[in-house]
Amino acid sequence: MDRLLSVVVSVYNEEKALEEFYRATGKVLNGLDWDYELVFVNDGSADGSLAILDSLAERDSRAKVVSFSRNFGHEAAMIAGLDYSSGDAVVCMDA
């Protein structure tokens, strides 16, 4: 039986770190015995974070993007990420 790990990631103005976050996190997750998905929640970023997230989702089917129209805060981002997760287990973290 395959197990799916959902990693919910809140993002707020993280354009400078997102590509490195994606690479480093993927390196760790690829070493697990679980399948995984990355659920990025853009919490109203005013920089280029959303464009980077959309690019990641286009090239990696394990990446999902939820985007808020404005900043609602960390807790709201985590709850939205949980709502969109489909894993057997969830890890919540910041980008």
Side-chain angles (χ1 to χ4, degrees):
M1 173 192 278
D2 291 333
R3 297 174 296 179
L4 179 67
L5 175 65
S6 295
V7 180
V8 175
V9 184
S10 65
V11 175
Y12 182 69
N13 294 334
E14 305 284 350
E15 70 180 357
K16 293 180 180 177
L18 285 173
E19 289 285 350
E20 180 58 29
F21 174 88
Y22 172 78
R23 278 191 293 278
T25 304
K27 192 174 188 180
V28 172
L29 294 172
N30 284 324
L32 300 177
D33 290 334
W34 289 51
D35 291 330
Y36 69 89
E37 67 179 356
L38 293 164
V39 181
F40 291 100
V41 182
N42 177 46
D43 190 15
S45 295
D47 64 357
S49 293
L50 182 56
I52 294 168
L53 294 175
D54 286 342
S55 174
L56 292 175
E58 282 181 21
R59 63 183 197 248
D60 186 346
S61 62
R62 296 169 296 193
K64 297 179 181 179
V65 178
V66 177
S67 188
F68 291 167
S69 60
R70 65 173 180 84
N71 182 266
F72 285 93
H74 182 262
E75 292 80 10
M78 289 293 105
I79 291 168
L82 291 170
D83 287 344
Y84 280 87
S85 296
S86 47
D88 299 299
V90 178
V91 173
C92 294
M93 59 191 310
D94 296 335

